[in-house]
Amino acid sequence: MKSRLALATAVTLLSAAAFAHSETEETTPVDGARLTETPDMIHMVFDDPMRITMVRLENADGSEMPMERGTGLEPSLEFHAEPEPLAPGSYTVEWRGLASDGHAMQGSFSFELTD
């Protein structure tokens, strides 16, 4: 009986911890967007403060494209960076960060720039 109670408690605690992580609620550009010009901003909105420790904008060849980070390393509900003018092609934004509960998080989204 004690082992069942301990197991149920552990499962409950692990489930609660899994739901405590920050998630990306919104990105600009939206994932899969087809744009005709370079976006003014790479923007992410989180449901809980996130400390973004790495963000990278890559083209289809895997080359990193320059961006000016507009948000520091402090935990925030939003992150933004301004990319330099981009040539037509496919791009992926990859990010890593630390959620407010200290867990490492990562994600990515992509967009295409057309002629």
Side-chain angles (χ1 to χ4, degrees), residues 74-105:
E74 69 281 350
S76 179
L77 291 173
E78 296 187 36
F79 171 86
H80 68 273
E82 297 178 29
E84 293 189 4
L86 301 170
S90 297
Y91 295 90
T92 300
V93 176
E94 295 182 352
W95 62 268
R96 280 184 265 181
L98 293 173
S100 61
D101 64 3
H103 283 90
M105 305 292 292

Side-chain angles (χ1 to χ4, degrees), residues 24 26-29 41-45 77-81 109:
T24 308
E26 179 182 327
T27 64
T28 304
M41 191 173 301
I42 302 298
H43 185 243
M44 296 180 283
V45 177
L77 291 173
E78 296 187 36
F79 171 86
H80 68 273
F109 60 96

Side-chain angles (χ1 to χ4, degrees), residues 49-61:
M50 176 75 68
R51 179 187 310 259
I52 300 297
T53 58
M54 184 282 296
V55 65
R56 180 180 301 137
L57 174 62
E58 294 181 345
N59 66 14
D61 296 331

